[in-house]
Amino acid sequence: MAQPDGKKIFFENLSGAGKAIAVLTSGGDAQGMNAAVRAVVRMGLYVGAKVYFIHEGYQGMVDGGENIKEATWESVSSMLQVGGTVIGSARCKEFRSHEGRLKAAHNLVQHGITNLCVIGGDGSLTGANLFREEWSGLLGELAEQGLIEADAVQKYSALHIVGMVGSIDNDFCGTDMTIGTDSALHRIIEVVDAIMTTAQSHQRTFVLEVMGRHCGDRDQYHLCLYIQCSVCVFYPSYLALVSALACGADWVLIPEMPPEDGWEEKMCEKLSATRSRGTRLNIIIVAEGAIDRHGKPITSGIVKDLVVKCLGFDTRVTILGHVQRGGTPSAFDRILASRMGVEAVLALLETTANTPACVVSLCGNQSVRLPLMECVQMTQEVQRAMDGKRFEEAVKLRGSNFNVAVLNVGAPAAGMNAAVRSAVRVGISEGHKMFAVSDGFEGFYKGQIKEIKWADVGGWTGQGGSLLGTKRTLPAKHIDKIAEQMREHNINALLIVGGFEGFLSLLELLTARGKYDEFCVPMVMVPATVSNNVPGSDLSIGADTALNAITTTCDRIKQSASGTKRRVFIIETMGGYCGYLASVGGLAAGADAAYIYEEPFDIRDLQANVEHLTEKMKTSIQRGLVLRNENCNENYTTDFIYQLYSEEGRGVFDSRKNVLGHMQQGGAPSPFDRNFGTKISAKAMQWVSKKLLETFRQGKVNDSCCLLGMRRRALVFQPVVQLKDETDFVHRIPKEQWWLKLRPLMKILAKYKTTFDVSDSGQLEHVVRNRPKESDASVAM
């Protein structure tokens, strides 16, 4: 939180001495809740506060006794990778009554607790706020009844509340993602990917019923319309709609936007047309609670019977149910929950008697604090709008007629295919003729260019790697041949999906404009690389999938040590000179250290880490985890660090090493990467259409050459020439990287004493209906 004089507040200035913080989980469980609990406990202890578990949610608060226990550092060990909630959750009717809240207040005061961190849904957070508002009155009653001393009323006069939303439904206004949503999408996509193989074998249609209450996301509404041309909604059931986008479903039915009358015939026509193009399967997603325009339920069984009756297709129904709530939390949910848990403690440290209860939210890639009740009220407004059947009609597409080429450049990254599919289908919907370039710029100059149509990208979302083919070849050496191909195919715009080489390619094409008019066209890049090292974007397509691969492997490696003697694992990750995978993967996996190029280290640091692990091993902690970025130091190699730890830890722990290698680049893309690739590529394609329509003159366009990236809260179009000053070209990384501020969190949660810069800590903001508009920073060049 920046001060007026511009100085930064550092973590040492925020003391929790004398404070007692309690954490509870309430309502339905969600993967990632344990990571949030762990972060709250360890951050609270780190600042010197007492931290308490409240077991079984509000029921445990009302019952008191053994349900309220003081937490220790070790009590949250090994829970980062566990799904559900270890401290339990329960519905509590008694807490809804005044008498129940009086009991709860008594139990908290007995432990000196006046700071409450609640992880749950809107109902749980609303109950917490009511509890806060009644607090002083409840203490007065307890004093009158002689249950507490009179001075306790003054001593514990204010109850401070901070909320985090744990819900797989992503149904809370004010945050882009709730804890557990990404993991639930993982479960859905895992099932869909498995089902697709058997469906193709037997030419079957599968109807999948997924969970999810009413929630809203305007971006998904537009994507559903552009990409699927199926049912479109204003307030989509998040799990149903995003899973439909992520798996390339043929049809999706959701309660927020009942289909128009006659939807049955339209759906069957769509399924039949898909089969006639040679596709051997159909996927239909049905959200629980789906209805038609007359309020009549549309169940998965009804949809199955309809398909069988009208088309005669072999059809099966799969109801996922509570499978979506179970399993190991994804890397995204672990990182999100850890960031939110730390932010919640910071919020409690900074609160005053007049500070309203807040909820820690995610906006873009930034943590923010929002007034709890404003979020709740907006969430309830959405529900009332749904109850009143006030649905927004589908937007009308406008047409144009240009040739747009799309290609992959750089190393393969999971999610590239989803991005290409999105670009192709949005482009076709906009009226363009889309061309696919195979093997990047190497294929471009060789003429490996052909028109790509709607059906050609069917089923691409779940495929890993690059189906177009991708190479690291840059265009400069073959610029004349590439210009010739641009001219021959009358290419009016370029969309590149790639990594750092894609960024370099745009710079070279921009330079070539002075000699070749063919490159005076709109050109835009969508970042896609597991290294997440593209300047101008906080996130790249493929990085989330790589993080999940790292996290899953680390979980298994740590589990392999269960029941053995004390052991430390040294894990080498990819990333070139960029330490993103090692650092953020370390946060997600609960690592003790992560060595990266951006943060130089020497033998004294290595020795300090060994000593730290030695001290930890003397407690009940039996396993240690150290990550090393592949290019962090040319002398302190993975083998060197392994041998050093083995020697220095002799007699206390032994060591093992593992080089993860290209497994981080492989595999099916995660739901996040599928959705992110679809969304960002669609926006890039819409920008191309806009520029073509606005500036087309005399057969040529002279417009900016941009990179579309996630910057803090918004997707931003940035001229690549402006990004040159932000780039370390020698080491192929941005000069400033946002995730470096997460490294102290990993150290804090591993019990290191460190300095934590909280200048970017979330501040209390008001809820707004409209998200920040995507900035268009492009200018004519």
Side-chain angles (χ1 to χ4, degrees):
M1 189 165 52
Q3 293 298 293
D5 61 1
K7 294 181 180 179
K8 296 178 179 178
I9 294 179
F10 287 91
F11 189 63
E12 289 91 334
N13 299 327
L14 298 174
S15 174
K19 291 191 175 184
I21 300 172
V23 58
L24 68 102
T25 55
S26 179
D29 64 304
Q31 308 96 317
M33 279 184 166
N34 288 324
V37 170
R38 171 180 177 269
V40 170
V41 169
R42 291 197 166 177
M43 195 63 162
L45 293 174
Y46 191 88
V47 298
K50 280 189 175 182
V51 185
Y52 292 86
F53 292 133
I54 299 180
H55 292 269
E56 311 306 333
Y58 285 115
Q59 188 64 58
M61 192 189 298
V62 172
D63 293 342
E66 290 299 310
N67 289 302
I68 302 177
K69 295 181 179 179
E70 188 170 354
T72 65
W73 195 274
E74 289 73 26
S75 62
V76 292
S77 296
S78 302
M79 66 189 296
L80 184 63
Q81 65 269 27
V82 179
T85 167
V86 170
I87 62 176
S89 179
R91 311 285 181 184
C92 181
K93 291 183 178 180
E94 194 172 359
F95 187 76
R96 298 177 185 176
S97 68
H98 181 80
E99 186 60 33
R101 292 191 291 275
L102 190 65
K103 291 180 182 179
H106 185 213
N107 290 327
L108 292 187
V109 170
Q110 285 183 314
H111 292 84
I113 298 170
T114 56
N115 298 278
L116 202 57
C117 183
V118 180
I119 308 169
D122 58 338
S124 302
L125 299 181
T126 301
N129 189 68
L130 176 61
F131 191 39
R132 182 188 69 87
E133 291 174 345
E134 293 182 347
W135 180 258
S136 59
L138 294 172
L139 295 195
E141 289 186 47
L142 292 172
E144 290 176 5
Q145 296 174 18
L147 296 175
I148 62 174
E149 299 295 332
D151 61 349
V153 177
Q154 182 64 32
K155 184 177 180 181
Y156 305 116
S157 60
L159 178 67
H160 306 296
I161 300 289
V162 173
M164 288 182 278
V165 186
S167 168
I168 67 168
D169 300 322
N170 203 32
D171 58 351
F172 193 82
C173 290
T175 186
D176 287 353
M177 289 285 276
T178 58
I179 297 169
T181 301
D182 186 71
S183 299
L185 284 171
H186 272 259
R187 301 294 90 77
I188 295 170
I189 297 306
E190 286 167 6
V191 171
V192 173
D193 287 350
I195 281 176
M196 289 178 76
T197 57
T198 186
Q200 287 176 328
S201 300
H202 298 280
Q203 298 192 63
R204 282 178 178 157
T205 295
F206 270 88
V207 182
L208 277 77
E209 182 177 309
V210 302
M211 302 173 79
R213 300 191 302 164
H214 305 303
C215 55
D217 187 330
R218 182 182 292 269
D219 289 333
Q220 304 304 333
Y221 162 68
H222 289 294
L223 290 186
C224 185
L225 176 61
Y226 275 112
I227 311 303
Q228 291 305 119
C229 288
S230 297
V231 180
C232 306
V233 297
F234 183 72
Y235 295 108
S237 292
Y238 189 89
L239 289 180
L241 188 54
V242 175
S243 61
L245 285 169
C247 73
D250 297 280
W251 205 262
V252 56
L253 292 158
I254 46 185
E256 292 88 341
M257 188 63 179
E260 299 286 349
D261 291 342
W263 65 271
E264 298 93 340
E265 292 78 10
K266 292 180 181 178
M267 184 184 74
C268 290
E269 288 173 5
K270 173 70 163 57
L271 299 180
S272 181
T274 302
R275 287 292 181 94
S276 67
R277 292 193 293 264
T279 301
R280 294 176 58 86
L281 79 158
N282 299 110
I283 299 291
I284 302 170
I285 305 290
V286 181
E288 60 178 0
I291 56 174
D292 64 16
R293 285 277 166 177
H294 308 287
K296 183 180 177 181
I298 302 176
T299 66
S300 52
I302 290 174
V303 175
K304 174 196 171 183
D305 294 341
L306 176 65
V307 174
V308 172
K309 178 181 177 182
C310 297
L311 300 175
F313 291 171
D314 184 4
T315 306
R316 298 287 191 274
V317 171
T318 299
I319 300 175
L320 298 186
H322 283 76
V323 167
Q324 296 157 88
R325 290 192 183 278
T328 299
S330 66
F332 184 96
D333 272 330
R334 299 186 198 193
I335 297 163
L336 175 66
S338 296
R339 291 177 67 183
M340 284 186 169
V342 168
E343 187 67 37
V345 173
L346 293 177
L348 289 172
L349 293 180
E350 297 170 3
T351 191
T352 65
N354 298 322
T355 304
C358 72
V359 60
V360 179
S361 301
L362 179 72
C363 184
N365 191 38
Q366 188 177 14
S367 294
V368 297
R369 301 175 197 169
L370 299 172
L372 188 153
M373 288 313 297
E374 288 186 26
C375 294
V376 170
Q377 288 162 6
M378 186 166 287
T379 302
Q380 292 171 347
E381 281 184 27
V382 172
Q383 180 62 60
R384 286 193 291 270
M386 296 309 309
D387 294 340
K389 295 181 173 56
R390 300 194 298 274
F391 307 120
E392 181 175 283
E393 294 188 6
V395 296
K396 296 180 180 179
L397 299 174
R398 53 179 173 78
S400 55
N401 188 16
F402 297 99
N403 295 343
V404 181
V406 58
L407 66 159
N408 296 152
V409 179
M416 275 184 164
N417 296 321
V420 172
R421 170 181 176 270
S422 174
V424 168
R425 291 196 168 179
V426 170
I428 292 172
S429 296
E430 295 275 349
H432 307 312
K433 182 180 287 188
M434 300 299 297
F435 287 85
V437 182
S438 300
D439 297 333
F441 282 105
E442 184 173 316
F444 211 137
Y445 82 81
K446 291 179 179 178
Q448 296 172 202
I449 306 169
K450 66 177 182 178
E451 184 180 356
I452 187 168
K453 298 185 177 180
W454 189 281
D456 295 334
V457 292
W460 279 33
T461 50
Q463 298 293 316
S466 168
L467 293 176
L468 283 184
T470 182
K471 296 287 182 69
R472 297 179 183 270
T473 306
L474 299 179
K477 292 182 179 180
H478 311 283
I479 200 70
D480 55 339
K481 293 182 180 179
I482 294 172
E484 181 182 334
Q485 292 295 332
M486 292 277 288
R487 183 168 57 255
E488 181 179 330
H489 291 88
N490 191 28
I491 301 299
N492 305 119
L494 283 180
L495 191 154
I496 296 174
V497 180
F500 199 86
E501 291 85 358
F503 172 63
L504 295 176
S505 297
L506 280 185
L507 290 174
E508 292 183 357
L509 294 176
L510 185 63
T511 301
R513 279 181 172 175
K515 186 176 180 181
Y516 300 96
D517 288 342
E518 287 78 10
F519 300 119
C520 296
V521 298
M523 294 185 287
V524 64
M525 174 185 164
V526 171
T529 168
V530 301
S531 301
N532 199 36
N533 64 332
V534 177
S537 187
D538 291 350
L539 301 173
S540 297
I541 299 166
D544 184 73
T545 303
L547 283 174
N548 278 288
I550 293 169
T551 303
T552 300
T553 303
C554 288
D555 286 350
R556 292 176 179 175
I557 287 173
K558 289 195 295 184
Q559 189 179 42
S560 71
S562 297
T564 65
K565 58 183 178 180
R566 299 178 178 91
R567 183 165 290 171
V568 174
F569 296 93
I570 315 298
I571 311 295
E572 181 183 303
T573 67
M574 296 178 71
Y577 285 96
C578 181
Y580 176 82
L581 291 181
S583 296
V584 182
L587 180 61
D592 295 279
Y595 301 119
I596 62 172
Y597 166 78
E598 294 91 341
E599 194 172 283
F601 60 97
D602 56 25
I603 194 67
R604 289 179 293 275
D605 297 310
L606 293 171
Q607 182 64 34
N609 293 150
V610 172
E611 291 173 357
H612 179 78
L613 275 168
T614 301
E615 288 301 313
K616 287 181 67 175
M617 291 295 178
K618 292 177 181 178
T619 67
S620 60
I621 297 175
Q622 299 292 309
R623 297 181 298 277
L625 183 66
V626 175
L627 272 62
R628 177 190 177 273
N629 167 249
E630 58 184 353
N631 287 344
C632 65
N633 189 292
E634 63 179 349
N635 294 313
Y636 298 137
T637 64
T638 300
D639 285 336
F640 177 91
I641 294 174
Y642 162 68
Q643 291 168 5
L644 175 68
Y645 273 69
S646 297
E647 179 63 29
E648 297 299 319
R650 184 172 297 176
V652 180
F653 60 82
D654 63 2
S655 301
R656 297 288 188 274
K657 66 176 179 178
N658 195 303
V659 178
L660 301 186
H662 284 78
M663 63 167 289
Q664 297 157 85
Q665 282 185 329
S670 68
F672 180 90
D673 278 330
R674 300 185 196 195
N675 189 34
F676 184 53
T678 299
K679 178 178 179 178
I680 193 171
S681 190
K683 288 186 179 295
M685 198 63 235
Q686 290 165 353
W687 176 86
V688 166
S689 296
K690 176 184 175 184
K691 293 302 176 184
L692 285 170
L693 288 171
E694 285 180 353
T695 61
F696 194 83
R697 297 187 183 91
Q698 299 177 354
K700 292 296 173 186
V701 174
N702 189 356
D703 203 293
S704 60
C705 180
C706 287
L707 181 143
L708 174 58
M710 170 65 74
R711 299 298 291 261
R712 294 171 68 88
R713 299 194 188 189
L715 290 172
V716 184
F717 289 96
Q718 305 146 98
V720 291
V721 69
Q722 293 181 8
L723 296 175
K724 291 174 67 175
D725 293 338
E726 301 179 20
T727 306
D728 176 352
F729 286 95
V730 174
H731 298 99
R732 298 161 57 90
I733 56 175
K735 291 179 180 177
E736 294 186 7
Q737 304 191 76
W738 68 272
W739 51 264
L740 286 171
K741 292 192 175 183
L742 298 183
R743 285 182 59 80
L745 300 189
M746 182 190 69
K747 293 180 180 178
I748 287 169
L749 299 178
K751 213 173 184 178
Y752 283 89
K753 288 294 181 182
T754 186
T755 297
F756 179 38
D757 176 5
V758 295
S759 60
D760 279 345
S761 176
Q763 301 182 51
L764 195 63
E765 303 176 6
H766 290 290
V767 183
V768 292
R769 289 184 179 275
N770 297 320
R771 286 284 309 280
K773 294 183 179 179
E774 287 77 10
S775 173
D776 186 351
S778 59
V779 295
M781 298 181 210

